[in-house]
Amino acid sequence: MSSPARPLRITVTGASGFLGSALVLALRADGHTVVPLVRSANSPGAARWDPATGQLDEQALGAIDAVVHLAAENVVGRWTTAKKQKLRESRIGVTERLCRSLAALTPRPRVLVAASGTGFHGDCGDRLVDETSPAGNDFLGELAAAWEGATAPAAAAGLRVVNLRFGMVLDPSGAALQKMLPAFRLGLGGRLGSGRQWTPWISRRDAVAAIRFAIERDALRGPVLAVAPEAVTNRDFTRALGKALRRPTILPVPAFVLRLLFGEMASMLLTGQRAVPKQLLAAGFPFADAQLAPALQNLLRPTAGT
Ligand SMILES: NC(=O)c1ccc[n+]([C@@H]2O[C@H](COP(=O)([O-])OP(=O)(O)OC[C@H]3O[C@@H](n4cnc5c(N)ncnc54)[C@H](OP(=O)(O)O)[C@@H]3O)[C@@H](O)[C@H]2O)c1
């Protein structure tokens, strides 16, 4: 997706993160101008924002064509009352304030691509899930529904809003694989609980490409599942990871151990969604990593990287 039809001026929140840092590189390589929206210490070419008030440094921002909103407290960690509050505030309050500020900009950006997650749909058992499937009524489902809802002020002001529901984003530098790799490399990896829970995933290069696609495709709006076409269970995932590393995966981790270790957050590991990227497929998005086994083989090659 190089040489865009027209170079755009794009701002990105959460630009320092796992997805944001790869996105900024990719957008710049495409010829776009990227202005990271940063919370602290000014770096050259960046603009300041205050997530607590939504205030933006409009002068540094300039006339923006597109906004990518990735900033949010990471869901990994014990969901204590304080952590839950941070998760809510950094998603719902911050997004709503940002959207109100975007709505007030002159000129207004045309498009907002905002992060969400497949957790939106809650525990779906073996049911197929697409963008029209309802929100879950567990903590993550209610959180993601309110997070997406918080983009309403931008949509009301006429921005085309795309809520990208990411599955687990895979790259060796990311938290998901980094947490699994040590045990799997020692041959101590195994399925989580029954292993029958569906585990939506997407490679980081496809996640980044999906954001670029969402910016450019005027037909995309509203919720869009950013997951690979091949849905796998945790058991399939475990086998594919063991195979990519040429290690056995015979030691399951019982559900009660995960609940002891992670408390309520274990639900994220023990339930899932058999998610189908209906909107991306319909729009002709070219997945580079449609199937898990070759994707993992590619990511875990000694010289791999995005
Ligand atoms: N990675 C995944 O597997 C995955 C899956 C589903 C959904 N998502 C969502 O996609 C987005 C990007 O994911 P990521 O993996 O790149 O996340 P990440 O590495 O944790 O980065 C998120 C960025 O958000 C900003 N941030 C962190 N805590 C914040 C807070 N309390 N308030 C405001 N901003 C805060 C930071 O950027 P600055 O310091 O630059 O402000 C941080 O670098 C997130 O919204 C995440 O929830 C990710």
Side-chain angles (χ1 to χ4, degrees), residues 282-299:
F285 175 72
F287 280 95
D289 299 300
Q291 300 217 306
L292 182 65
L296 284 175
Q297 300 275 358
N298 176 51
L299 285 174

Side-chain angles (χ1 to χ4, degrees), residues 1-3 8 10 22-23 25-30 32 68 113 160 164 205-217 285:
M1 237 181 280
S2 54
S3 308
L8 304 174
I10 303 172
L23 175 70
L25 289 177
L27 290 174
R28 286 187 175 146
D30 278 351
H32 298 302
V68 181
V113 179
R160 177 170 63 84
L164 277 182
R205 64 177 171 173
D206 274 345
V208 164
I211 297 171
R212 294 149 73 197
F213 192 77
I215 293 171
E216 287 165 16
R217 280 299 161 113
F285 175 72

Side-chain angles (χ1 to χ4, degrees), residues 49 78 81 96 112 155 160 178 183 195 210-211 216 224 231 243 269 273 287 299 303:
W49 73 311
R78 265 190 172 262
T81 308
E96 189 170 346
L112 165 67
R160 177 170 63 84
Q178 273 187 0
I211 297 171
E216 287 165 16
V224 173
K243 219 168 163 192
L269 307 172
Q273 304 81 23
F287 280 95
L299 285 174
T303 53

Side-chain angles (χ1 to χ4, degrees), residues 38-197:
V38 298
R39 291 182 291 169
S40 53
N42 245 337
S43 42
R48 285 282 298 275
W49 73 311
D50 180 0
T53 61
Q55 200 177 354
L56 310 172
D57 177 348
E58 291 186 33
Q59 207 175 354
L61 209 49
I64 289 291
D65 300 293
V67 182
V68 181
H69 177 39
L70 300 174
E73 174 81 12
N74 203 298
V75 288
V76 177
R78 265 190 172 262
W79 293 346
T80 58
T81 308
K83 173 82 174 175
K84 279 185 169 180
Q85 182 49 29
K86 274 192 176 177
L87 290 171
R88 283 197 193 95
E89 167 53 21
S90 68
R91 282 170 175 69
I92 307 164
V94 168
T95 300
E96 189 170 346
R97 288 189 290 273
L98 174 68
C99 288
R100 288 195 191 288
S101 298
L102 296 176
L105 286 177
T106 314
R108 268 197 292 271
R110 284 186 299 108
V111 52
L112 165 67
V113 179
S116 178
T118 52
F120 174 95
H121 297 287
D123 177 4
C124 297
D126 286 330
R127 265 180 296 124
L128 283 170
V129 167
D130 66 29
E131 288 85 353
T132 61
S133 305
N137 54 12
D138 54 3
F139 172 68
L140 273 192
E142 286 172 3
L143 178 69
W147 189 15
E148 292 186 10
T151 59
L159 278 80
R160 177 170 63 84
V161 177
V162 182
N163 304 101
L164 277 182
R165 295 181 185 154
F166 293 109
M168 171 174 60
V169 182
L170 296 180
D171 185 82
S173 66
L177 276 181
Q178 273 187 0
K179 287 208 164 19
M180 292 182 233
L181 283 174
F184 275 79
R185 285 203 163 109
L186 291 172
L188 300 173
R191 65 172 201 263
L192 305 178
S194 71
R196 288 200 297 265
Q197 66 278 31

Side-chain angles (χ1 to χ4, degrees), residues 22 37 145:
L37 208 45

